[in-house]
């Protein structure tokens, strides 16, 4: 089976201009879109675009909340009232 490739501008057109060219390059740099460089052009694999838009497989597990933070410094002493 032969892979099909799209130029960066074709990806933007396919998404009806909802994303910028800069975002496509950022997604490639993050590894979220697979690509090849040919003749000085960045060619995006069409399958990786489909996978990005319609993820397959089980959903990712929910993120756990961060642990509670301890206050900085020494605990304050309680004032004693004599009267």
């Amino acid at each position: 089976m032969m892979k099909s490739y799209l130029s960066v501008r074709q990806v933007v057109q396919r998404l009806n201009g909802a994303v910028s060219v800069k975002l496509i390059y950022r997604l490639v740099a993050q590894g979220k879109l697979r690509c090849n460089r040919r003749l000085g052009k960045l060619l995006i694999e069409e399958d990786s675009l489909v996978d990005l838009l319609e993820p397959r497989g089980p959903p990712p597990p929910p993120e756990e909340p961060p642990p509670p933070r301890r206050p900085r410094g020494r605990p304050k002493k309680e004032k004693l009232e004599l009267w």
Side-chain angles (χ1 to χ4, degrees), residues 67-76:
R69 295 182 66 189
R70 295 179 60 189
R72 302 182 103 191
R74 292 184 175 186
K76 294 185 178 183

Side-chain angles (χ1 to χ4, degrees), residues 4-72:
S4 59
Y5 293 94
L6 300 168
S7 71
V8 174
R9 297 214 186 273
Q10 287 173 328
V11 172
V12 171
Q13 287 175 351
R14 174 92 39 114
L15 298 174
N16 295 325
V19 296
S20 66
V21 171
K22 192 174 181 178
L23 177 62
I24 301 300
Y25 280 103
R26 195 176 315 140
L27 291 172
V28 168
Q30 292 173 354
K32 295 181 179 180
L33 283 175
R34 295 183 305 275
C35 70
N36 283 327
R37 289 190 185 271
R38 296 286 182 236
L39 301 173
K41 287 188 173 185
L42 192 68
L43 299 175
I44 312 294
E45 291 182 16
E46 192 171 11
D47 293 342
S48 70
L49 179 63
V50 171
D51 290 343
L52 181 69
L53 297 175
E54 300 172 4
R56 297 180 187 130
E63 293 186 25
E64 294 182 20
R69 295 182 66 189
R70 295 179 60 189
R72 302 182 103 191

